[in-house]
Amino acid sequence: MFPLIVFSGFITLTLCSGRQYVFVNESKTWTEAQSYCRDKYTDLATTENVQETIQLLNTVNDYNSIDLAWIGLYDDLNSWKWTLEDTDFFNVEEKMFRNWYSPAQQIYGGNTCVAVRNAVWEAINCINAYPSVCYDGRENAEATYVFYPFYTTWKDAQSYCREHHTDLVSIRNENENQNVQHLLKKYNSEYAWIGLHGSRSWSDQSNSSFTFWKTGEPNDVGSCTAVSFSESGTWTDENCYNEFPFFCYNGEILLFWIKINSMSIMYWLTSSDIDCA
C-alpha cells in the first residue's frame, strides 16, 4: 500500500518499495557473483530483516535442486577491529596500531582472528586452539594483562576474558605489544590469542546488522556467507572460492509524484534515494 499524505493546498503521493531480489542459478565464486550482480543489477543481496529474507527465498522455485547460494555478507579483512568496545580506551591513532608478521597477513582470506607470536601478529583461523591474553581494566584488578593457559578457540577465549576480566587484550602501541610478549615468555607460550579480528561487511556497504545464522555458525572456516536451503534459509560461513548460485538485488526505478494544486510534477528516483521507513 502506498502512503497518501494530505496537506492543505497540495497532495503528495510517494511510490516506494524495497529491494527487488533476483536469483541467478549459475555457479560462481563469491567475487565472480559480486561482479555479475554489479554489472547486471545493483549488487549481491543484502537483507535487513526476516521479511526481506522470506522475499529473497521466494525467488527460488525449486529448493530441492540447490544446496547453497551466495549473498552479499563477507569478512572484510581490510576492516580489522578490536573486540573491546570501550571507546574511551583508545585514542584515534591507537586503534590503528598493527604489528603484522607480513603485509599479506592483513588480507589473508578465511583467517579472521589474530594471535601474537614473538611479538608479531598473525591472522589465523578462529577455530584453532591457543592460549590467550586477557585485559583487566577493573579498579581492583590484580594485573592488567592476564595469561589464560588453556587452549581454546578465539570465541571461547573472548567469552572467558569477558566473564572473568574485561576482554581479550587490545594492543595500542609497541610498549604494550612488548608487555604481552614478555607475558608469553614467562609462561613459555609460543602463540596466544589477542582481541583483533576481522569484521563482516555487506557488499553494498549497507549498515544492516541483521543476521540469520544457522546454529553453530559462523564457524570462521570461510569468509563469505551463503544461504542454506536445507536449513530453512539460514546462513553458513563458506570459502569464498567455492562456486554456488547467488542472489542479486535490483535498485529499480521508482516514480515519485507530487501534485500541487493543478500543477503536477514527476520525479524518477532509485530506491536508494527514498527512505521507505
Side-chain angles (χ1 to χ4, degrees), residues 81-98 168-173 176 195-196:
K81 66 179 181 180
W82 294 102
T83 182
L84 182 64
E85 298 177 351
D86 183 1
T87 56
D88 294 333
F89 182 76
F90 299 93
N91 293 326
V92 175
E93 64 277 5
E94 289 176 337
K95 281 189 175 182
M96 301 309 298
F97 176 77
R98 305 287 186 266
L168 274 167
V169 67
S170 298
I171 301 176
R172 298 173 291 187
N173 50 57
E176 293 184 351
L196 194 66

Side-chain angles (χ1 to χ4, degrees), residues 67-71 73 200 212-215 217-220 222-231 233-239 244:
D67 183 19
L68 299 169
W70 294 125
I71 57 174
L73 191 66
R200 295 182 185 272
F212 197 51
W213 292 109
K214 170 185 171 183
T215 301
E217 299 280 354
N219 58 23
D220 297 306
S223 55
C224 293
T225 304
V227 168
S228 174
F229 291 95
S230 62
E231 296 289 340
T234 53
W235 303 349
T236 67
D237 202 19
E238 302 292 334
N239 189 310
F244 302 131

Side-chain angles (χ1 to χ4, degrees), residues 46-58:
T46 295
T47 60
E48 298 194 10
N49 49 56
V50 173
Q51 182 179 354
E52 287 191 347
T53 299
I54 295 171
Q55 180 185 346
L56 177 142
L57 294 174
N58 285 341

